[in-house]
Structure formats: structure tokens, C-alpha cells
Amino acid sequence: MTIDDLRNIGQELLSVIPRYRFAENARTGLRTGAAGDTTFPLDEAAENIIVSRIKSLGEPLSIVSEECGIEDEDSSSLRVIIDPIDGSKNAINGLPMFCTSIAVASGTTLDDVYMGYIVNLISGDEFWAVKGCGACYFNGNKTHTKTDDNIEIVLYESQRPSEELPRMNRLFSYTVRTRCLGATALNLAHVAAGSVSLFVTLSKSRSFDFAAGYLIVKEAGGICTDAEGRNISTIHTGLGKINTILASANAHIHARALDALINSHYR
Amino acid sequence: MTIDDLRNIGQELLSVIPRYRFAENARTGLRTGAAGDTTFPLDEAAENIIVSRIKSLGEPLSIVSEECGIEDEDSSSLRVIIDPIDGSKNAINGLPMFCTSIAVASGTTLDDVYMGYIVNLISGDEFWAVKGCGACYFNGNKTHTKTDDNIEIVLYESQRPSEELPRMNRLFSYTVRTRCLGATALNLAHVAAGSVSLFVTLSKSRSFDFAAGYLIVKEAGGICTDAEGRNISTIHTGLGKINTILASANAHIHARALDALINSHYR
């Protein structure tokens, strides 16, 4: 499986999925997906495309995906970790910010991910990396994380804003702008591509949301740990909500952000 | 001047402006615009297109625009209030969320706006209303604000997050998701189109950011005041940062949100 295989899937998704935003049944939940969230028509359509295209490549593999769960788990084969639609809540409400995230791993831990691909299904922006490439490819161009110390924008996500935003307030005092886009993988992609200095979520995330972005951030020169600074490379890439995330453009920003989060008055 | 004239401008912008995101000089400030923010190449390009197209219509008019300021002010002519790029900070950093906002007024107050047009320059989504039409036209379809009481997502903007987010925290306790997209006009457009229940900013905004959205929200059934519930219809549509904004889908949500903001522990 190569990046071109994933990019071909991305192009097919771009030709089909955006129109689901305006379908009459866009907001009608079909069922509860394997990871516990409601599956909407656009989640199902995206997953069907991705899983069928990946299986058609004919390689032995196991699949970890938000809607269908874990298929053919076998630690000796490739493991493909998929979020068919990251940002479903945006998509079903008409907000044009959602993406697909696909990570390919040689084993069952985050550190085994060797290829990551994220595609914004509205703008068409693509972000990818292969282990060792030393960059985030952003629409085909090599990009890297920001090298300066300035925190112009803090990207965050939160599933419990009234509890978690106060705990991030010291970090917010370092900046004049926040952004909360509603799609974890895109946040990581934009840290990697040098758009922003850091991304944080104090809500526990699922590995299919961040497996691709984790690799892309690291290859682009960034740092990705949990929000207390702990290494997450050995986590198991399954369906559960397992860890918080802090992804930074460089070591100086990571240290400042950790200090702000750990010394928050609201912990 | 008709909505079709504004839509034609929108189509021209869509064909030209998105590629400025990736221009080599995208982040190079050209000068300080009339409203006090830095003018970037994409702001200038968008304003040039809009102003030249509007002038070519041959109607007597005055222009209020973020970069060039106020041209030919004359209270007896049409007043066109323009934000060439709302979300410049996103655009220059590569975040795909920015729009153009154009309002047309018969006088110098917000209440004189009789036509509003907003176009998302990445997704191509268009939102418009003409006074009395009783709807937000979203990509040509009549839409209205949400009628239910549920606050699924709170949209906000802030220019001083560490001061202002604590003052919104009681409001955040009513929801499980925030979004901060970085483009005031788009926030208002999505309240009008029924994507979300409310938008709030405690930072003072400029009328070119919200003049079109104010009309579109009201025509779609929503309510728009400042963040203390005061009527803003008589404000003068100039270049200054003049008022906070609270835009809600319906009266029940507006009352709940005002109560949460006014009774915040952090005021």
C-alpha cells in the first residue's frame, strides 16, 4: 500500500462525500457505530468507499475504523486505522470543516504507524507523511512545523467545554486567538504544515482520530504527547477513548504549553 | 444593485482568491488598512475585485470597506459595506475558513441594510437575504434558524480569549461543543441557515464584519443584539470596533444565552 493508493481514495471521497452535507437525511442517525458515536449516512458512505478500496488492493490487513470497528485483527498483518469522517458533527450541521484520516501501521501501537494521510473533504487539502520522510507533504509540497516561539493561534478541541476551557485558560493567555474547528485530524495536520503552533485537547481521543496526524506532526518536526507531556507512542490503536493530546510545532512551544496546562489554577 | 450582481462578484472571487492562500507572499503585510488591521495580498486582491465590479454598475454609492476605508460618503446614495476577506488570519496561515461579506444599505445605520451577501471562499457556500424576504437563502435554498431549544454547538469569536472565555463559561456549560472558526460573518451565516443555535463575541466588532449577517439572521427568524441584549439597529455602519454581538436562532435561546452571559461569575 502506498501514499498514491490513499490519495486515490481521497480523490474518490472528494467526488462523492461533500454533497452528503445537503442530503435530506443528512442528520438522520442510522445506528451506533463500533466506537460509540452515531453513524450518519455520510460516515457510512465514506467508510464503504475506503474499506472497499483498501480491501481491493489484495494485501492481508486488519482494519480499525470508527463505524465498523475492528475487522480481521491479526498482529502479523498491516493495520489500517481509519476515521472515515472526522468532524461528522460539523458535516451534519452544514459546517464546512471535516476530513478523512487514514493511518497504516506495521503493528498494533501508535509507534508502528508508518504512513499517514489526511484529506479535508471541503477544501481538498491533503496532508501526508511516510515514516522517515522528515516532512508533512501539504498538497504535494514539503512543509515543516513552525520554528518560532510565537503562539499566534491556539487550536483546541473539547467535549466538555465548561470544564476543560478553564483548565486551558493560562495557555490561552499566551495568545490572541483560539480556533476550535471540530476535527482532531485536521488540527494535527495544520500544526504539521506550519499553519499554527499547537493543538491541545483535554478530552480523551480515539486513536483513529490522531494516528495519522501523530506521524505527520512528528515527521514535520513537531512534538506530540498527551496533555501532561507523557509519551503516547506505545498506546494500542483500538477504538477506545484513550488519551489527551498536546501537539506542538517545536520543543520550546511544547514546554511553554505544558507548563501552562500543568500549572493551571483550575486543575 | 441586485443579489445577482453580488453573486456574480462572489463567483469571480471564488475563481481567483482561494489560490492566494498558497502564494509565496501570502503572509507579507502590504500596509495597515483603513480599519487598522494589516492588509495582506489576498485582502487587497479581493477588495479590488469587489470595488471595481460594484463601481462598474454605475449607481451612485458610497463604499465602506476594511482596507480602503470610506469612499464618497454621501447619506443620500447607496452605502455598500464590505469585508473583502473575513478570516484573513486563517487565510494567511493556511486554515481554509474565510469569506467575503457585502451589505447594501439605503442609509448609514445598521437598520438601513436591505441586502446582505456572504460567500465562503473555500466551500463556495453562499448565504443571502433581502429585507422582507423572510429567509436566509443558503446556496439558493430558503432556510431558517433552528426552532428548538437545544444548544448543540456554541459558536464564538474572541480577540482576548483568556479574558473573555471565562465570561462565556456559564454559556459553555449549556453545550457539549464549541466552535471558533475565525470569521464573524460566517458565524452569523450559519446561525441564519440553521447550522447552529447561537453565535457570541464579547470582543467589539466592526460593522463590515456583521452588517450582512445581521440582516440575514433577522430575515431567517433569528435575533441579533449586543451581548447585553441591547438593540444595535441604530448603530452607524463605519470602520470602528463598535459592539459585541449575540445572535440566536430564536427568542428562547437568546434569553438563555443572555442570562448566562449577564450572570457569569467572571463579569
Side-chain angles (χ1 to χ4, degrees):
Chain A
M1 200 179 312
T2 67
I3 277 293
D4 284 342
D5 294 323
L6 301 184
R7 293 191 67 195
N8 288 338
I9 293 170
Q11 293 310 307
E12 185 169 349
L13 293 168
L14 280 166
S15 71
V16 172
I17 298 301
R19 77 178 79 123
Y20 274 80
R21 266 200 312 155
F22 304 117
E24 213 167 280
N25 64 346
R27 297 186 191 191
T28 306
L30 301 175
R31 69 190 76 86
T32 299
D37 284 355
T38 303
T39 301
F40 292 95
L42 127 152
D43 299 305
E44 183 179 68
E47 186 172 88
N48 286 344
I49 289 171
I50 300 163
V51 170
S52 66
R53 289 295 168 273
I54 283 179
K55 285 184 174 172
S56 75
L57 297 172
E59 299 180 44
L61 47 83
S62 56
I63 285 175
V64 178
S65 184
E66 179 168 14
E67 317 307 335
C68 70
I70 302 183
E71 274 188 17
D72 305 319
E73 183 151 35
D74 171 2
S75 62
S76 66
S77 61
L78 285 187
R79 187 175 181 88
V80 187
I81 305 143
I82 304 164
D83 193 350
I85 302 290
D86 183 20
S88 298
K89 198 176 281 283
N90 288 342
I92 64 167
N93 287 301
L95 297 175
M97 187 62 80
F98 52 93
C99 70
T100 292
S101 171
I102 306 176
V104 184
S106 57
T108 62
T109 74
L110 191 55
D111 201 40
D112 294 323
V113 172
Y114 68 87
M115 191 158 68
Y117 175 76
I118 296 167
V119 56
N120 180 321
L121 294 175
I122 293 291
S123 68
D125 289 334
E126 295 178 291
F127 307 83
W128 73 81
V130 176
K131 207 168 206 171
C133 75
C136 161
Y137 284 83
F138 176 30
N139 295 332
N141 300 308
K142 269 188 169 185
T143 57
H144 297 92
T145 58
K146 289 164 79 89
T147 52
D148 63 278
D149 298 347
N150 184 31
I151 302 179
E152 198 171 2
I153 299 173
V154 168
L155 282 185
Y156 76 87
E157 298 296 338
S158 174
Q159 292 159 31
R160 289 177 300 277
S162 67
E163 286 172 42
E164 293 173 349
L165 269 59
R167 292 168 53 204
M168 294 189 271
N169 207 53
R170 190 173 168 132
L171 179 58
F172 294 152
S173 75
Y174 297 164
T175 187
V176 291
R177 292 292 186 280
T178 56
R179 294 287 182 267
C180 178
L181 305 177
T184 292
L186 280 180
N187 292 321
L188 292 166
H190 282 289
V191 171
S195 306
V196 297
S197 308
L198 67 89
F199 162 63
V200 60
T201 176
L202 303 183
S203 300
K204 292 200 172 176
S205 299
R206 280 100 38 115
S207 59
F208 48 76
D209 288 333
F210 61 78
Y214 174 84
L215 175 71
I216 301 172
V217 165
K218 289 188 67 164
E219 289 298 329
I223 297 172
C224 190
T225 67
D226 75 5
E228 303 191 60
R230 289 180 295 231
N231 185 328
I232 56 173
S233 66
T234 58
I235 65 143
H236 179 81
T237 52
L239 296 174
K241 291 188 175 181
I242 40 178
N243 57 264
T244 61
I245 303 171
L246 175 65
S248 309
N250 56 60
H252 187 263
I253 285 177
H254 207 71
R256 277 185 80 197
L258 276 176
D259 178 69
L261 292 168
I262 289 169
N263 295 310
S264 159
H265 296 307
Y266 295 91
R267 273 170 67 87
Chain B
M1 201 178 310
T2 66
I3 278 292
D4 284 342
D5 294 324
L6 301 183
R7 293 191 68 196
N8 288 338
I9 294 170
Q11 293 310 307
E12 185 169 349
L13 293 169
L14 280 167
S15 72
V16 172
I17 298 301
R19 77 178 79 121
Y20 275 79
R21 266 203 308 155
F22 304 116
E24 214 167 280
N25 65 347
R27 298 186 190 191
T28 307
L30 302 176
R31 71 191 73 88
T32 300
D37 285 354
T38 303
T39 300
F40 292 95
L42 126 154
D43 299 306
E44 182 179 67
E47 188 173 87
N48 285 345
I49 289 170
I50 300 164
V51 170
S52 66
R53 289 294 167 274
I54 283 178
K55 285 183 174 173
S56 75
L57 297 172
E59 299 181 43
L61 47 83
S62 55
I63 284 175
V64 179
S65 185
E66 179 168 15
E67 317 308 336
C68 69
I70 300 183
E71 275 190 15
D72 305 319
E73 183 150 36
D74 170 1
S75 62
S76 67
S77 62
L78 286 187
R79 188 175 180 88
V80 187
I81 305 142
I82 304 164
D83 193 350
I85 302 291
D86 184 20
S88 299
K89 198 175 281 284
N90 288 342
I92 64 167
N93 288 300
L95 297 175
M97 185 63 79
F98 53 93
C99 69
T100 292
S101 170
I102 307 176
V104 185
S106 57
T108 62
T109 72
L110 192 56
D111 202 40
D112 294 323
V113 173
Y114 68 88
M115 192 157 68
Y117 174 75
I118 296 166
V119 57
N120 179 321
L121 294 175
I122 294 291
S123 68
D125 289 335
E126 294 179 291
F127 307 82
W128 73 81
V130 176
K131 206 168 207 170
C133 76
C136 160
Y137 284 82
F138 176 30
N139 295 332
N141 300 307
K142 269 189 168 181
T143 57
H144 297 92
T145 58
K146 289 164 77 91
T147 53
D148 62 277
D149 299 347
N150 183 32
I151 302 178
E152 199 172 358
I153 299 173
V154 169
L155 281 184
Y156 76 86
E157 298 296 339
S158 174
Q159 292 160 31
R160 289 176 299 277
S162 66
E163 286 173 43
E164 294 174 347
L165 269 58
R167 292 167 54 205
M168 295 190 269
N169 207 52
R170 190 173 168 133
L171 179 58
F172 294 152
S173 75
Y174 296 165
T175 188
V176 291
R177 291 293 186 281
T178 56
R179 293 286 182 271
C180 179
L181 304 178
T184 292
L186 279 181
N187 292 321
L188 292 166
H190 281 289
V191 171
S195 305
V196 298
S197 307
L198 67 89
F199 162 63
V200 60
T201 175
L202 302 183
S203 300
K204 291 200 172 176
S205 299
R206 281 103 34 120
S207 60
F208 48 76
D209 287 334
F210 61 78
Y214 174 84
L215 175 71
I216 300 173
V217 164
K218 289 188 68 164
E219 289 298 328
I223 297 172
C224 189
T225 66
D226 75 4
E228 303 193 59
R230 289 180 296 232
N231 186 327
I232 56 173
S233 67
T234 59
I235 65 142
H236 178 82
T237 52
L239 296 174
K241 291 189 174 181
I242 40 178
N243 55 263
T244 61
I245 303 172
L246 175 66
S248 309
N250 56 61
H252 187 265
I253 285 176
H254 207 71
R256 277 184 79 196
L258 276 176
D259 179 69
L261 293 168
I262 290 169
N263 294 309
S264 159
H265 296 307
Y266 296 91
R267 274 171 67 85

